Amino acid sequence: MSLLWSLLVAALTISTASAGDEAALLAFKARLGDGAMVSWNSSVHFCSWEGVMCSRRHQERVVALSLHGSALTGELSPALGNLTFLRTLNLSSNGLHGEIPASLGRLRRLRILELSDNLLSGTLPVNLSSCISLTFMALDNNKLGGRIPPVLGERLTSLTRIWLLNNSFTGPIPASLANLSDLQYLVLSKNQFVGPIPEGFGSIQSMEYFFVTANNLSGMIPPSFYNLSSLKGLGVGGNMLHGSIPDDIGNKFPIMQILDLDTNQFTGTIPSSLSNISHLTTLHLWGNRLTGYVPPTLGRLEALEILDLSANMLESYDSEGLQFITSLANCSQLRWLALGSNYFEGQLPGSIVNFSRTLEKFWIVDNRINGSIPQDIGNLVGLHLLTLAINYMSGVIPESIGKLENLIELQVYNNNLSGLLPSSLGNLSHLSRLYADSNNLEGPIPASLGKLKNIFVLDLAKNYRLNGSIPKDIFELSSLSWYLDLSYNALSGTLPSEVGSLTNLNTLTLSGNQLSGKIPEGIQNCIVMEWLSLDNNLFEGSIPQSLKNMKRLTVLNLTMNKLSGNIPDVLGSIRNLQELYLAHNNLSGLIPTVLMNLTVLWGLDLSYNDLLGEVPKGGVFGNLTSKSVTGNKQLCGGIPQLHLVPCSTDPVRGSKTHKWKGLLISLAATGAILLLISVIVIIWKLKKRQKSQAQPITTEEQFPRVSYQALFRGTSEFSESNLLGKGRYGAVYRCILHDDDSPVAVKVFDLQQSGSSKSFEAECESLRRVRHRYLIKIITCCSSIDPQGQDFKALVLDLMPNGSLDGWLHPKENMYTLNNTLSLSQRLDIAVQVVDALDYLHNHCQPPIVHCDVKPGNILLGEDMSA
Ligand SMILES: *[C@@H]1O[C@H](CO)[C@@H](O)[C@H](O)[C@H]1NC(C)=O
Ligand SMILES: *[C@@H]1O[C@H](CO)[C@@H](O)[C@H](O)[C@H]1NC(C)=O
Ligand SMILES: *[C@@H]1O[C@H](CO)[C@@H](O)[C@H](O)[C@H]1NC(C)=O
Ligand SMILES: *[C@@H]1O[C@H](CO)[C@@H](O)[C@H](O)[C@H]1NC(C)=O
Ligand SMILES: *[C@@H]1O[C@H](CO)[C@@H](O)[C@H](O)[C@H]1NC(C)=O
Ligand SMILES: *[C@@H]1O[C@H](CO)[C@@H](O)[C@H](O)[C@H]1NC(C)=O
Ligand SMILES: *[C@@H]1O[C@H](CO)[C@@H](O)[C@H](O)[C@H]1NC(C)=O
Ligand SMILES: *[C@@H]1O[C@H](CO)[C@@H](O)[C@H](O)[C@H]1NC(C)=O
Ligand SMILES: *[C@@H]1O[C@H](CO)[C@@H](O)[C@H](O)[C@H]1NC(C)=O
Ligand SMILES: *[C@@H]1O[C@H](CO)[C@@H](O)[C@H](O)[C@H]1NC(C)=O
Ligand SMILES: *[C@@H]1O[C@H](CO)[C@@H](O)[C@H](O)[C@H]1NC(C)=O
């Protein structure tokens, strides 16, 4: 009976629970993105659903949910916590986001929690500490953060593997994790952990891989670690650890394979006992402050694949110092050997040609190595990368280099290599980067380089003695896309139009050679080119119009050639142009105003040419960050910082008027201005003899000039609608010189009527001397030639907004209102002001002036109704 009863209870429990598991799975599914798990449907029992595994003993209970790489999106449902029989939860490599539900803490049977490679965020729930069966926890490559709850270390005592690689965990590594006495893997790399490495880990005898690279840990490696004879991998690189490597390290880790101490602040020498770690495959010591000799016994590390000692202060003052290199020939698995940026000096041992053919990368860049490149370097057929750059190596580049058929990158720049470039270089069909600049190489560039079908960068600059013409074949290298730099050599001949085949090239630098002839129009086909430097050559002819097709051009340097002709207007359409250097050529003509359109241009050098006319002031010409136009004898105008003479013939272009405002004193409005000006009589004679020569210059110096075009535009082509008045001497127009300026009045002289232009100059000059609050002052003069070739003279005066006094006294409408009637006090003010002005003209002006036509029509009112 009691047996029966308990069976019944068990059956009931199972059935309710099973409904619970199915419901939980459906709840899990419901939170995933649309269209997920379509195969989870009622036509199939849930224990047979994809990724679901049920218990054999408790048939309706889910023990494993494994949906690795199933493109799941959405969030994790808290209902997962109802799958209380779950032993494996493997949802790695999906697109899950949101937090890890705290309800997972109910999964007391869970052994494997694998959620790597998702987008999970939030913190590690404290409740996970209830998953007391957990042996494996992997949360790599998520966006989890916060601190690791120390309680995990106290309770999850079965954990053997913890992977938290590449998240944003912060705070210290909890010391409690050292309670996990079965721990084999602890991988906390690429987080933001701070503080010291807890000493306690050193007593976990099961520890095999301890990786905390790329955090912000400080202090030393705890001495206890050197008791972990079980360690196979120790990675602490990329922290702020210090201390030295113990001399007997090699006896402490008998089965170690990976030792990564890079980019810390370790000091002292590399202990020779390291040579005893016979299983070592990877030794990363780069980026520390290690000193002294490298132990010559390193070659005993027969399993060694990667040795990186770069960026330390390692030395070799005598032949012994580089013996370790020779010894490494014994490392038959060696793939990477990095020795760059140390203080190694002495000859590169010839024995390097005996390195294993497995060697793929060899760096010894930036040391003090001398001697020559071994003849038989071509033996190292496995090489992908060879960098001997920035040393003192001399001799020739051996012909055998052409046998390195796997070579992708060759760097020999900044040495003293001499002789010819071996034509065998052309056999390096995989070569993508060749840097041989800054040596003493000489002779022609081998045409065989044209066979480098995968070349991406070719730099032969600054050898000074590479001569002959540039082989056409080089220009056919359509893979060449980063840069081609042949600058500062002795290359001659022309630039063939085949240069246009470099359709993928970003930067072409041919500066400092003796290239001659024209710049070929074909260069326009280099449509992605951003930087073109042909400076310091013998190029002649004009600047090609076709450059306009090089829309990406940001820097164009044609300095120091023999280019002639005009600066083509089309340069103004290369919108990306930031720097334009055309100095030291024979360019002539005007500076194209369209250059003002180049809004990102900041560097402009047009100096030492034969340019003439006015330097534009608008657009970029208004900004003097880096501009030069010196050494062009016939340029004038421009912004004052250029210190050019003002333009002597009237400029053809408009210019900024901001400064003119400062010259304004009074305003003029109606046709009366015409009379006002023209009836001024100079009593004290302006002796033409005395002044006619000096005057124009004075006038020019005094007034900023304005062009015919500017007045033509500003008055809408001297339209009727802008006509303010007409008189014997000409007409007065309302004029807007610049969009942002207030209107001015322009008096255009009718030269047939008013006589010689000298009287215009005289008026300019006399009016210039008139400085009084209540007298109109000239803003500027314009003396030019109109499109019909006729002399054109005009005065620019400020506009009086309130018209003439006459208009106020006798309104046209004959209707007196408050708005068009002057008050008594205003009338009084005006009278006083007129007297004041007349007094000035008669008594205080040099020369004295008599106004012969004082009448209301000639008295103009300013904004504040002052006369
Ligand atoms: C999960 O279990 C809780 C309590 O046992 C229950 O209230 C809830 O409905 C369950 N959720 C699902 C989706 O089964
Ligand atoms: C239900 O799932 C099975 C596979 O488990 C699938 O063949 C079937 O097409 C699914 N039915 C529906 C309506 O999606
Ligand atoms: C998770 O599932 C994938 C695919 O089946 C498997 O390769 C991986 O080993 C599993 N992870 C764990 C921890 O079992
Ligand atoms: C987390 O654990 C606490 C204590 O065990 C419990 O009270 C709480 O319900 C748990 N939270 C969830 C969401 O399961
Ligand atoms: C680190 O994780 C992020 C997701 O948080 C991922 O996008 C990135 O590729 C991972 N980085 C590496 C090196 O795996
Ligand atoms: C776990 O470690 C912490 C800190 O190291 C210690 O205080 C605690 O007693 C340990 N707990 C257990 C259960 O070993
Ligand atoms: C590392 O920690 C130091 C202080 O210990 C801090 O100044 C520095 O900003 C941290 N760096 C990063 C990358 O977190
Ligand atoms: C290393 O282990 C030995 C023996 O197990 C022990 O006596 C010694 O204290 C340990 N050293 C450290 C630094 O923990
Ligand atoms: C342009 O060419 C001149 C003359 O060779 C040189 O001095 C200058 O540095 C070059 N400027 C740039 C930006 O290349
Ligand atoms: C320069 O800009 C002006 C106004 O934005 C435009 O009318 C003119 O066409 C431009 N000139 C060139 C050459 O792009
Ligand atoms: C001049 O150019 C510089 C650099 O392009 C810029 O930072 C600065 O604002 C400009 N000044 C004026 C007055 O336009």
Side-chain angles (χ1 to χ4, degrees):
M1 184 63 191
S2 77
L3 179 68
L4 227 142
W5 177 244
S6 57
L7 276 177
L8 189 64
V9 169
L12 276 173
T13 321
I14 287 163
S15 75
T16 31
S18 83
D21 275 10
E22 182 170 10
L25 287 173
L26 289 172
F28 164 72
K29 171 181 166 173
R31 285 258 190 139
L32 302 178
D34 287 341
M37 315 313 302
V38 280
S39 65
W40 285 16
N41 59 48
S42 49
S43 65
V44 180
H45 189 272
F46 73 86
C47 284
S48 303
W49 286 352
E50 182 198 341
V52 177
M53 208 170 96
C54 287
S55 163
R56 274 191 219 120
R57 271 199 302 145
H58 311 276
Q59 287 197 352
E60 305 286 279
R61 299 309 312 265
V62 175
V63 291
L65 180 55
S66 296
L67 292 166
H68 166 93
S70 304
L72 306 180
T73 56
E75 301 191 10
L76 288 176
S77 165
L80 284 174
N82 288 13
L83 301 172
T84 50
F85 274 60
L86 205 61
R87 291 204 294 264
T88 299
L89 180 60
N90 185 349
L91 302 176
S92 54
S93 301
N94 284 294
L96 299 167
H97 60 89
E99 303 198 353
I100 298 175
S103 64
L104 293 193
R106 295 171 58 201
L107 305 178
R108 300 183 141 250
R109 294 178 172 87
L110 194 67
R111 292 182 198 161
I112 295 178
L113 176 63
E114 163 65 289
L115 299 174
S116 297
D117 300 298
N118 279 291
L119 301 165
L120 298 169
S121 55
T123 57
L124 216 48
V126 176
N127 281 32
L128 282 186
S129 65
S130 304
C131 302
I132 48 171
S133 305
L134 213 54
T135 63
F136 182 103
M137 178 165 75
L139 303 172
D140 291 353
N141 300 324
N142 277 290
K143 297 169 188 287
L144 297 163
R147 293 173 176 237
I148 298 184
V151 63
L152 295 189
E154 286 159 25
R155 303 196 48 193
L156 302 182
T157 51
S158 305
L159 268 176
T160 59
R161 300 187 180 197
I162 301 179
W163 297 83
L164 302 179
L165 175 71
N166 185 22
N167 279 283
S168 299
F169 290 112
T170 55
I173 300 174
S176 67
L177 292 185
N179 291 354
L180 304 174
S181 56
D182 292 333
L183 209 54
Q184 295 166 356
Y185 285 66
L186 181 61
V187 180
L188 306 180
S189 300
K190 289 193 83 179
N191 281 287
Q192 290 149 32
F193 290 114
V194 296
I197 299 173
E199 167 106 34
F201 289 119
S203 52
I204 304 179
Q205 289 301 322
S206 54
M207 188 79 86
E208 292 178 21
Y209 291 95
F210 182 89
F211 282 92
V212 293
T213 54
N215 279 290
N216 202 357
L217 300 169
S218 50
M220 298 170 59
I221 297 178
S224 61
F225 268 61
Y226 300 106
N227 261 358
L228 294 176
S229 57
S230 54
L231 268 187
K232 292 180 183 164
L234 174 61
V236 299
N239 283 290
M240 303 192 303
L241 302 170
H242 65 273
S244 57
I245 307 173
D247 279 345
D248 56 354
I249 186 170
N251 311 326
K252 301 295 185 182
F253 302 122
I255 59 170
M256 183 167 279
Q257 295 165 354
I258 301 173
L259 179 59
D260 175 356
L261 307 180
D262 68 39
T263 45
N264 279 290
Q265 292 150 23
F266 291 114
T267 48
T269 57
I270 301 177
S272 60
S273 74
L274 272 176
S275 322
N276 298 341
I277 307 183
S278 57
H279 293 82
L280 206 61
T281 61
T282 303
L283 180 57
H284 277 301
L285 301 178
W286 65 279
N288 281 291
R289 298 173 187 171
L290 300 171
T291 50
Y293 283 6
V294 178
T297 49
L298 277 189
R300 288 177 14 209
L301 295 171
E302 287 188 5
L304 201 61
E305 293 175 26
I306 296 176
L307 176 60
D308 192 344
L309 308 179
S310 314
N312 278 289
M313 299 185 286
L314 300 167
E315 302 153 11
S316 67
Y317 288 118
D318 50 37
S319 55
E320 257 175 58
L322 291 179
Q323 257 182 22
F324 79 97
I325 295 186
T326 302
S327 84
L328 290 173
N330 297 328
C331 303
S332 60
Q333 312 294 314
L334 197 61
R335 291 191 293 121
W336 293 9
L337 176 56
L339 306 174
S341 299
N342 278 291
Y343 301 141
F344 293 126
E345 57 181 89
Q347 289 205 3
L348 187 63
S351 57
I352 65 162
V353 305
N354 299 327
F355 280 160
S356 166
R357 307 233 161 149
T358 56
L359 190 67
E360 290 170 10
K361 304 190 182 188
F362 179 41
W363 290 267
I364 195 164
V365 59
D366 187 20
N367 279 289
R368 299 163 180 176
I369 300 292
N370 55 37
S372 53
I373 303 176
Q375 275 301 316
D376 292 331
I377 190 84
N379 287 2
L380 299 174
V381 290
L383 276 183
H384 293 173
L385 171 85
L386 176 59
T387 82
L388 308 173
I390 320 183
N391 278 295
Y392 304 135
M393 302 195 73
S394 53
V396 300
I397 301 177
E399 189 72 29
S400 80
I401 204 149
K403 294 193 202 154
L404 299 176
E405 56 186 25
N406 292 306
L407 207 58
I408 293 172
E409 181 159 353
L410 175 60
Q411 300 189 6
V412 295
Y413 65 90
N414 273 43
N415 277 293
N416 294 321
L417 298 171
S418 55
L420 303 176
L421 276 163
S423 66
S424 64
L425 281 173
N427 297 343
L428 301 176
S429 58
H430 291 103
L431 199 65
S432 110
R433 294 151 199 257
L434 172 54
Y435 302 91
D437 52 298
S438 305
N439 279 291
N440 296 315
L441 299 167
E442 62 189 343
I445 297 175
S448 64
L449 293 192
K451 292 193 292 174
L452 299 174
K453 290 300 174 215
N454 285 301
I455 199 82
F456 175 69
V457 182
L458 178 55
D459 193 344
L460 304 177
K462 294 191 184 149
N463 278 289
Y464 302 102
R465 294 195 294 163
L466 286 175
N467 58 22
S469 57
I470 305 174
K472 280 199 173 77
D473 314 61
I474 295 223
F475 297 121
E476 320 252 276
L477 292 169
S478 59
S479 60
L480 206 49
S481 36
W482 187 11
Y483 70 85
L484 170 61
D485 192 345
L486 305 178
S487 63
Y488 299 99
N489 280 298
L491 299 169
S492 55
T494 59
L495 182 61
S497 69
E498 281 86 348
V499 69
S501 306
L502 296 172
T503 49
N504 294 309
L505 191 61
N506 254 265
T507 297
L508 176 61
T509 310
L510 302 177
S511 320
N513 282 290
Q514 286 138 38
L515 298 169
S516 57
K518 294 185 125 196
I519 300 174
E521 295 278 345
I523 202 161
Q524 63 174 313
N525 296 325
C526 301
I527 47 172
V528 302
M529 194 171 287
E530 294 181 4
W531 191 302
L532 176 59
S533 297
L534 303 178
D535 52 287
N536 210 336
N537 275 290
L538 305 169
F539 287 113
E540 60 196 19
S542 52
I543 300 176
Q545 296 279 337
S546 65
L547 285 182
K548 70 166 185 293
N549 296 331
M550 299 172 72
K551 294 287 181 217
R552 302 241 197 122
L553 215 50
T554 58
V555 177
L556 176 59
N557 196 346
L558 303 177
T559 307
M560 288 175 78
N561 278 289
K562 297 163 144 188
L563 297 167
S564 55
N566 290 343
I567 300 176
D569 277 1
V570 294
L571 291 185
S573 63
I574 308 177
R575 293 272 159 187
N576 290 322
L577 212 52
Q578 294 178 10
E579 296 172 64
L580 176 60
Y581 303 118
L582 303 176
H584 293 279
N585 278 289
N586 300 324
L587 298 168
S588 53
L590 301 171
I591 300 177
T593 41
V594 288
L595 293 185
M596 292 194 289
N597 283 15
L598 297 174
T599 48
V600 292
L601 190 70
W602 60 264
L604 176 67
D605 193 348
L606 305 177
S607 54
Y608 301 99
N609 279 292
D610 287 329
L611 300 169
L612 56 85
E614 189 188 23
V615 177
K617 290 183 197 140
V620 290
F621 291 91
N623 191 338
L624 200 73
T625 339
S626 173
K627 290 183 183 59
S628 175
V629 295
T630 53
N632 288 281
K633 294 199 186 72
Q634 299 184 70
L635 283 181
C636 63
I639 54 171
Q641 290 93 318
L642 293 174
H643 302 296
L644 292 175
V645 293
C647 294
S648 57
T649 59
D650 198 72
V652 192
R653 302 174 187 125
S655 47
K656 280 276 172 197
T657 59
H658 292 305
K659 278 166 253 103
W660 301 353
K661 288 181 182 165
L663 294 172
L664 302 183
I665 292 176
S666 54
L667 310 164
T670 67
I673 303 165
L674 189 62
L675 293 168
L676 173 72
I677 294 156
S678 48
V679 298
I680 286 171
V681 172
I682 304 161
I683 286 186
W684 197 282
K685 277 187 278 174
L686 288 166
K687 296 282 183 192
K688 284 179 200 164
R689 278 195 309 281
Q690 290 174 349
K691 297 188 177 168
S692 58
Q693 284 117 340
Q695 270 168 5
I697 297 160
T698 337
T699 313
E700 280 144 20
E701 281 171 358
Q702 201 59 35
F703 304 124
R705 290 298 187 122
V706 62
S707 70
Y708 173 81
Q709 274 84 356
L711 298 181
F712 185 72
R713 268 198 314 271
T715 57
S716 310
E717 312 180 4
F718 300 112
S719 69
E720 286 292 323
S721 62
N722 283 319
L723 188 66
L724 298 175
K726 256 190 153 112
R728 241 185 320 152
Y729 296 93
V732 177
Y733 296 90
R734 178 191 158 85
C735 175
I736 296 182
L737 281 171
H738 284 267
D739 292 345
D740 46 356
D741 287 345
S742 43
V744 293
V746 177
K747 173 190 175 188
V748 181
F749 283 73
D750 182 346
L751 295 179
Q752 264 78 42
Q753 295 288 337
S754 67
S756 81
S757 63
K758 278 185 185 136
S759 77
F760 159 80
E761 295 290 354
E763 282 197 43
C764 271
E765 173 59 10
S766 58
L767 282 167
R768 183 176 74 78
R769 289 161 187 266
V770 173
R771 283 162 207 265
H772 192 270
R773 209 148 42 116
Y774 302 124
L775 289 172
I776 283 173
K777 185 151 189 267
I778 297 179
I779 301 168
T780 186
C781 307
C782 172
S783 170
S784 185
I785 305 217
D786 69 16
Q788 286 75 46
Q790 306 294 316
D791 271 356
F792 172 87
K793 309 268 180 206
L795 293 176
V796 179
L797 311 129
D798 218 339
L799 194 66
M800 299 292 278
N802 281 323
S804 73
L805 179 62
D806 188 48
W808 284 86
L809 298 177
H810 314 286
K812 281 199 187 94
E813 299 85 5
N814 253 331
M815 286 271 296
Y816 294 90
T817 68
L818 264 185
N819 281 344
N820 71 0
T821 312
L822 295 170
S823 70
L824 181 63
S825 77
Q826 280 174 324
R827 286 162 199 250
L828 197 59
D829 281 346
I830 290 166
V832 169
Q833 286 157 0
V834 170
V835 170
D836 195 356
L838 288 173
D839 174 52
Y840 167 81
L841 285 173
H842 296 175
N843 302 321
H844 305 288
C845 192
Q846 280 300 325
I849 293 172
V850 173
H851 195 301
C852 301
D853 196 11
V854 181
K855 62 179 184 184
N858 286 344
I859 295 167
L860 306 172
L861 300 178
E863 200 149 27
D864 60 352
M865 299 304 287
S866 66

